[in-house]
Amino acid sequence: MKKKYVFGGLVGGIACAALGSFLTLGGIVYALGFSPENVQNIVRFVGIRKLIEARYVGDVDDTALMDGAISGMVQSLGDPHSLYMGPEMYEQLMNQTEGSFGGIGIYMGFKDDKVTVISVMDDTPGQAAGLAAGDEIVAIDGTPASDYQPEEVALHIRGAVGTSVTLTIHREGEEDKDYTIERATIQMKTVGGKMIDEANGLGYIRISNFAENTGDEFQKQLETLEGQGLRGLIIDLRENPGGLVKTCAEVANLVVPKGPVVSIIDKDGKTQEYTSDLAESKYPIVVLIDGNSASAAEILAGALQDTGAATLVGTTSYGKGSVQVVVPMYHDDAVKLTIAKYYTPNGRSIDGTGIEPDVVVELPQGATNDVQLETAEEVLRGKVAE
């Protein structure tokens, strides 16, 4: 008890010393809207920092100390999509939507405390190594994935072109296996399409994710198909992890009838709404979704479903209905923070629940035929024939 008392007294003394100087800023503190409890917590924080500086036996890196404090503060929110990013991580995140970056070409999802491969891009190191959708990433370069905040994982997998990363992969029914993969420049082409039934004018467009150029890519692909006699369209959003809301809205403006696309409501109830100016639907649409369709992919699917502009085929989507903002700080670092939830045109929040398709079609494991796409084609033919 005596040691505890002495230690407590030491911390208290340091905290009081810190408080003495801190109180000179009291007027500013209260002017900024800090409550007495806020002030107490700030004093606790300053007291511990002073204790470390005064008594810790090793060297103290002040910047590292503050980085750790900020990171711990954000992590304590318990939100897998909010995190603190140091300069290197922040730079890597910014590269993600700028057209190309050093990586292995996979998209990941974070659910039930697991990091799962959602999709593997064509002609990338990840595909060449044999990674597949559904693989669970257990470790990165020997460090358990659970040691990182979920959204840190991607930032550790990316890196300089020509360097390698080793992923420990768990695949259902198999022993865990290490994959050492050399990073390459990953080009972010996000849209591809083709006519799948020229006789009936059926077209197909797949959107892999929503990056900076997705709106332009989708418009060009759509115009190409329209020039080939498009009468009905399948939009494939399976294994699409989402991305930028603004580019999702650009795509929606080409296929969602005039009116709301998505409402984003923040903590204070302030609403930002994205709308479509499209006069009316030009042709029937069928949308493919699955358990890995998330975020912006769910915004598009939800808007098309709520407005009656499309029939959804597949399985229930992922259920990420929150919006993050990246806030730059003072030392080339940043905080990524969940600041709002989004709602479909009918006012649905799909966070944690996902979107139910109109036609449920499971994709059996090991299936040789894409039964979901086949069903989508069948539904679309019926709509075009009406």
Side-chain angles (χ1 to χ4, degrees):
M1 288 296 294
K2 186 176 180 181
K3 287 183 179 179
K4 183 176 179 182
Y5 175 78
V6 170
F7 179 74
L10 176 62
V11 174
I14 293 174
C16 287
L19 179 60
S21 58
F22 185 79
L23 284 176
T24 63
L25 300 175
I28 297 175
V29 168
Y30 283 102
L32 290 174
F34 287 103
S35 68
E37 185 180 0
N38 293 149
V39 175
Q40 252 185 4
N41 286 331
I42 292 171
V43 171
R44 288 173 59 214
F45 170 80
V46 173
I48 292 298
R49 182 182 175 191
K50 289 294 184 182
L51 171 65
I52 293 171
E53 290 175 346
R55 299 299 302 273
Y56 178 62
V57 69
D59 295 331
V60 177
D61 183 326
D62 188 65
T63 299
L65 204 64
M66 294 307 297
D67 288 351
I70 296 169
S71 179
M73 194 185 312
V74 177
Q75 193 170 354
S76 71
L77 298 173
D79 175 20
H81 306 297
S82 297
L83 76 157
Y84 167 74
M85 295 172 287
E88 184 179 352
M89 290 175 62
Y90 178 40
E91 182 180 1
Q92 290 179 17
L93 181 70
M94 290 299 96
N95 289 339
Q96 181 177 349
T97 59
E98 292 180 355
S100 65
F101 56 89
I104 63 174
I106 62 174
Y107 296 108
M108 290 165 290
F110 315 102
K111 202 168 189 177
D112 300 327
D113 297 323
K114 293 181 180 179
V115 180
T116 305
V117 176
I118 290 179
S119 64
V120 183
M121 297 171 64
D122 292 335
D123 303 318
T124 61
Q127 185 184 59
L131 298 182
D135 287 346
E136 180 189 345
I137 299 175
V138 178
I140 304 101
D141 288 329
T143 301
S146 58
D147 285 3
Y148 299 118
Q149 288 182 257
E151 295 213 358
E152 284 185 285
V153 173
L155 303 177
H156 285 279
I157 292 175
R158 296 191 187 104
V161 172
T163 61
S164 295
V165 61
T166 299
L167 303 183
T168 303
I169 297 295
H170 173 74
R171 186 173 294 170
E172 193 68 33
E174 300 180 13
E175 293 186 2
D176 291 358
K177 178 180 176 181
D178 285 343
Y179 292 76
T180 298
I181 307 169
E182 184 175 315
R183 300 178 178 99
T185 300
I186 305 300
Q187 298 295 334
M188 294 289 287
K189 187 176 184 301
T190 62
V191 177
K194 60 183 179 180
M195 292 295 289
I196 54 176
D197 183 346
E198 293 186 5
N200 291 296
L202 305 188
Y204 169 91
I205 295 180
R206 168 163 170 73
I207 305 175
S208 62
N209 72 303
F210 291 90
E212 287 284 355
N213 299 322
T214 301
D216 290 337
E217 291 178 17
F218 184 87
Q219 183 172 4
K220 290 175 183 176
Q221 185 63 68
L222 190 61
E223 289 172 350
T224 297
L225 295 179
E226 289 176 341
Q228 297 172 357
L230 182 67
R231 296 176 58 210
L233 176 65
I234 294 173
I235 301 176
D236 193 346
L237 298 176
R238 293 175 297 178
E239 300 180 357
N240 181 323
L244 302 177
V245 175
K246 72 179 185 70
T247 53
C248 171
E250 291 170 4
V251 172
N253 202 49
L254 298 169
V255 291
V256 175
K258 188 174 182 177
V261 171
V262 63
S263 299
I264 298 172
I265 304 178
D266 68 13
K267 183 176 183 177
D268 298 324
K270 184 179 178 181
T271 300
Q272 178 185 7
E273 188 174 74
Y274 287 88
T275 60
S276 171
D277 296 325
L278 183 68
E280 60 182 359
S281 298
K282 299 179 182 179
Y283 26 71
I285 297 174
V286 174
V287 176
L288 284 164
I289 60 171
D290 65 7
N292 292 320
S293 303
S295 190
E298 294 174 292
I299 289 176
L300 181 59
L304 286 165
Q305 186 181 52
D306 280 7
T307 58
T311 300
L312 272 53
V313 173
T315 56
T316 303
S317 64
Y318 187 88
K320 181 183 180 290
S322 60
V323 179
Q324 286 72 43
V325 65
V326 176
V327 182
M329 298 180 71
Y330 305 103
H331 300 286
D332 297 323
D333 54 352
V335 169
K336 185 177 183 182
L337 189 68
T338 297
I339 59 163
K341 289 190 176 182
Y342 69 73
Y343 296 81
T344 68
N346 285 351
R348 290 186 292 166
S349 171
I350 54 84
D351 198 37
T353 58
I355 294 175
E356 295 282 345
D358 301 299
V359 181
V360 177
V361 182
E362 299 284 346
L363 187 62
Q365 190 171 1
T368 55
N369 295 330
D370 189 342
V371 294
Q372 292 175 331
L373 178 57
E374 291 172 354
T375 301
E377 290 183 41
E378 182 181 340
V379 171
L380 187 58
R381 283 194 185 92
K383 292 167 72 75
V384 167
E386 291 178 357

